[in-house]
Amino acid sequence: MADTPLTVAGGLRADDIAAARDIQMSILPPQMPQVAGYDFFGCLRPAAETGGDMFDLVELEQGVFVLLGDATGHGFGPALCATQMQAMFRVAFRVGAELGEAYIHVNNQLDEDLPDDRFVTAFAGFLDPQRHQVDYFSAGQGPILHYRAATRDCEWFGPTTFPLGTMAVDRAAPIRSLALAPGDILAVLSDGVYECEGDAGLFGRERVADMLREYCEATTAEMAARLMQSLETFAGHREQQDDLTIVLVKRPAP
């Protein structure tokens, strides 16, 4: 007699869950962009077998595309929303859409596709490595952190518009510009990082800022590893409650 596939809660087979996780993780960028004068890193640690977070870091004709999305909820449904959003942005940019145009198309398609109680928060932008400038919008995603090496200060930016899929629009979201000086770091993190819970309360944005100041000379991969380690230590015995996604863009000092 053939072995009966192991089932888990909800009647899903364990091998189906593993396959879904493999598919989601395979859509993440297989390698970081290799751009002179810049250091990039992104990572995702889902809270469940699959997660509602997604990120992208890829060099396109318009520049280096930087994306972090967070679909409401956990599990298979939000994972599909997040991967759908990433794919729609990639297609829009490959057919020549500008950032604002892509926002309209992706938002309106998600508004059609998602139930009324579902939406996706997202940071989406392009780094121009020649001008050392990031043009972006933040659809409900924040706070966004800009570490300024010259002063060792951290500046925080909130969302520029409402989350994707909330309502149909006919105008592009406001586009903001952020200049990266030598040594500067742009940190785009999912709310699971800031809201990681421990005995002392929530991890919070000031601990994130302190981490960047302490490890500002390290590579982005090392910074992300240190931050993940700090989150684990801070949470202690608590299980991970939300997806953890870290996207870092650094312009190393000469």
Side-chain angles (χ1 to χ4, degrees):
M1 177 182 292
D3 292 338
T4 301
L6 177 65
T7 59
V8 295
L12 296 171
R13 298 191 310 175
D15 54 351
D16 289 338
I17 293 175
R21 182 184 178 92
D22 289 344
I23 291 170
Q24 182 184 22
M25 302 305 286
S26 71
I27 296 173
L28 299 176
Q31 59 186 19
M32 296 297 102
Q34 302 298 310
V35 177
Y38 280 89
D39 179 19
F40 303 90
F41 190 77
C43 60
L44 162 62
R45 182 183 294 174
E49 292 83 359
T50 56
D53 282 10
M54 174 58 64
F55 77 89
D56 207 354
L57 281 167
V58 61
E59 190 172 8
L60 301 175
E61 184 177 343
Q62 298 93 326
V64 180
F65 179 47
V66 182
L67 172 70
L68 187 150
D70 183 354
T72 52
H74 306 288
F76 295 105
L80 289 172
C81 292
T83 54
Q84 178 187 10
M85 176 203 63
Q86 181 208 32
M88 287 191 292
F89 272 120
R90 284 280 195 106
V91 170
F93 294 134
R94 290 194 184 280
V95 298
E98 299 294 333
L99 189 59
E101 295 174 315
Y103 161 80
I104 296 173
H105 296 318
V106 174
N107 174 80
N108 290 356
Q109 189 62 57
L110 288 173
D111 179 60
E112 288 185 21
D113 294 346
L114 297 181
D116 291 341
D117 61 344
R118 296 285 182 174
F119 57 83
V120 182
T121 63
F123 172 98
F126 278 102
L127 166 69
D128 183 334
Q130 305 303 318
R131 295 187 300 137
H132 306 295
Q133 180 171 299
V134 178
D135 297 324
Y136 74 93
F137 69 79
S138 179
Q141 188 69 45
I144 309 302
L145 185 154
H146 178 197
Y147 169 76
R148 298 182 183 274
T151 60
R152 292 181 59 82
D153 290 330
C154 288
E155 188 171 2
W156 301 90
F157 300 95
T160 61
T161 188
F162 48 80
L164 299 174
T166 306
M167 66 179 73
V169 300
D170 56 12
R171 297 176 59 184
I175 304 299
R176 286 183 181 166
S177 296
L178 186 153
L180 293 178
D184 282 10
I185 303 165
L186 170 64
V188 187
L189 313 174
S190 65
D191 56 7
V193 173
Y194 300 112
E195 296 173 6
C196 175
E197 188 173 354
D199 291 339
L202 301 182
F203 193 79
R205 67 185 198 178
E206 290 308 320
R207 287 186 176 86
V208 172
D210 289 343
M211 290 287 301
L212 290 191
R213 291 189 188 98
E214 183 175 0
Y215 298 105
C216 62
E217 301 296 330
T219 66
T220 54
E222 292 169 337
M223 277 187 265
R226 293 282 189 175
L227 180 53
M228 282 291 192
Q229 185 178 44
S230 293
L231 291 168
E232 291 177 1
T233 301
F234 185 82
H237 63 279
R238 291 175 172 82
E239 292 186 3
Q240 182 180 332
Q241 297 298 311
D242 200 357
D243 303 330
L244 302 175
T245 307
I246 298 172
V247 175
L248 300 174
V249 178
K250 180 181 179 181
R251 182 185 175 192

